Amino acid sequence: MKLKTLTVSQVNDYLANYIGTNPIFSNMSVGGEVFNLKKTGYGYTFLSLKDDESKLNAITYLEKFDVQEGDFITVSGKISFYKKSGTYSIIINSYEKKGQGNNYEQFKILYEKLEKLGYFKYELKKPIIKFPQKIGIITSAKGAAVKDIISVITRRYPKVSLIIYDSKMQGIDVENNVIQGINTLSDLSVDTIIISRGGGDTDDLSVFNSQLIAKAVFDCDIPIISAIGHEIDYVICDFVADMRAPTPSIAGELSVPNLQEVYDTIDNFEKSIKISYKNIINLYNSKIDSYRFLIQSNTPYKKINQKKLSLLELTSFIEQAYKDKIQSYKDRLFYISSILQENNYNNILSKGFALVEKDDVFIKTVKDLALGDKLTVRLEDGNISVVVEDIKNIIK
């Protein structure tokens, strides 16, 4: 059966409705240790309650809420679900202090002391070796933490050597065991040291609030990762260490790279380099082809051929122009010749016309004649002499 796809708002609506209608959430009592205490100037206070494994956000509007970090309190109230953020908190209506352990006070005093000594300065933190050859692990060889760390490291980076320093992580002699582990692994020149143990109650973890352990961690020349307890647990060792890991498994992840990711990165670099070189080679080949074409285009042989072609074209043009000019003159001469031919008086005489001359001057009109004038009449085949006996004008 195909599941119906819900929106985020629908899921949060269902949860809000479930919590709002379930009587167990409307009036409940919860006990836990106070941390993340934030008093506001608006009349309400934010805080969290925690136990060995979990935490619960809380808010109260009580005017008198006299608690401090580290107090163990029992609160009464209702669970409120915030649909917009998908989170929930307990709204505290009343509370009862169960006291504050001596461990918290000691923790606070030691924290402030070491902070003044510069044990927590970020600039003094040593970087974790990216590709370690040897990693030392201070933990109980029989605990679950070491198994988690070994599993993560061997899966991610099987090339590294692991040295396990079997140390007590609970009870008496923990302090001396951990310090001896740090010194021993330092003498073995490991690249990274992991101090780790699984979760536990406050008393079990309080040994890692030791000033002697803090000093050993601070003085160690090898970078140290601290992974004590669960994500919500904080000890002095975490603050002094070069890096804190919320869990042992994460400590394993932080101590080594993922070998497959390294191989993938190398492959990507190799592909990138090959592509870059190929592009560079193609670029230079293109430049070579361009230069070759430019050289070939500008060789003397090429230029001579171009000049020859230009000369042939010019010669052809001149010859054609010369022919056209001669033809033009021929056409003009023929035209003039035809006009001259048409106006040749010999041709006119052959058509039956005659030329009349008087004293070697051609007569064009009778007005130039008088009775008795002697004229010469030129015909096609000879001349005759005549005398004017009569003159008649032709009226047009």
Side-chain angles (χ1 to χ4, degrees), residues 6-15 81 83-86:
L6 302 176
T7 65
V8 174
S9 296
Q10 288 174 326
V11 172
N12 285 350
D13 284 338
Y14 287 142
L15 292 173
F81 185 83
K83 293 190 292 184
K84 188 172 182 180
S85 60

Side-chain angles (χ1 to χ4, degrees), residues 197-312:
R197 66 149 289 161
D201 58 30
T202 303
D203 290 336
D204 291 335
L205 303 180
S206 63
V207 67
F208 291 95
N209 293 323
S210 161
Q211 182 173 352
L212 293 177
I213 290 179
K215 186 176 187 307
V217 172
F218 184 75
D219 292 339
C220 183
D221 294 329
I222 296 169
I224 293 178
I225 299 174
S226 175
I228 307 298
H230 294 103
E231 186 172 358
I232 61 174
D233 298 312
Y234 282 87
V235 293
I236 293 294
C237 184
D238 293 333
F239 295 103
V240 183
D242 300 292
M243 181 176 289
R244 175 187 182 263
T247 65
S249 296
I250 296 178
E253 292 182 4
L254 295 174
S255 65
V256 294
N258 187 324
L259 190 58
Q260 186 57 51
E261 291 179 358
V262 174
Y263 287 150
D264 292 341
T265 302
I266 293 173
D267 289 340
N268 290 333
F269 274 129
E270 184 179 2
K271 290 177 183 178
S272 178
I273 292 171
K274 286 182 179 179
I275 292 173
S276 297
Y277 273 112
K278 185 176 180 180
N279 291 337
I280 292 173
I281 291 172
N282 289 337
L283 175 63
Y284 279 107
N285 282 336
S286 298
K287 286 186 177 182
I288 291 172
D289 291 340
S290 176
Y291 289 141
R292 182 183 292 114
F293 175 78
L294 188 63
I295 292 172
Q296 291 176 347
S297 300
N298 290 279
T299 56
Y301 176 77
K302 190 82 172 181
K303 289 188 174 182
I304 290 172
N305 284 341
Q306 290 176 347
K307 294 297 181 181
K308 283 183 177 180
L309 290 174
S310 298
L311 183 60
L312 290 174

Side-chain angles (χ1 to χ4, degrees), residues 113-233:
K113 176 182 178 181
L114 297 181
E115 185 177 32
K116 291 179 181 179
L117 293 174
Y119 276 39
F120 308 147
K121 286 185 177 180
Y122 179 78
E123 57 268 26
L124 298 179
K125 304 291 184 184
K126 296 176 286 296
I128 306 302
I129 303 299
K130 192 169 185 179
F131 299 100
Q133 295 181 349
K134 288 189 296 183
I135 292 178
I137 304 172
I138 301 174
T139 189
S140 171
K142 297 178 181 179
V146 69
K147 295 178 182 178
D148 293 339
I149 295 174
I150 292 173
S151 175
V152 171
I153 291 178
T154 53
R155 172 175 52 83
R156 288 172 59 88
Y157 198 67
K159 293 181 176 295
V160 70
S161 298
L162 300 179
I163 301 175
I164 311 299
Y165 184 89
D166 187 13
S167 169
K168 288 186 177 181
M169 304 303 283
Q170 183 173 332
I172 60 174
D173 292 332
V174 174
E175 189 177 59
N176 291 332
N177 272 221
V178 171
I179 294 172
Q180 185 60 41
I182 292 173
N183 295 331
T184 300
L185 293 175
S186 296
D187 293 338
L188 294 175
S189 300
V190 297
D191 297 305
T192 306
I193 295 175
I194 298 174
I195 303 174
S196 179
R197 66 149 289 161
D201 58 30
T202 303
D203 290 336
D204 291 335
L205 303 180
S206 63
V207 67
F208 291 95
N209 293 323
S210 161
Q211 182 173 352
L212 293 177
I213 290 179
K215 186 176 187 307
V217 172
F218 184 75
D219 292 339
C220 183
D221 294 329
I222 296 169
I224 293 178
I225 299 174
S226 175
I228 307 298
H230 294 103
E231 186 172 358
I232 61 174
D233 298 312

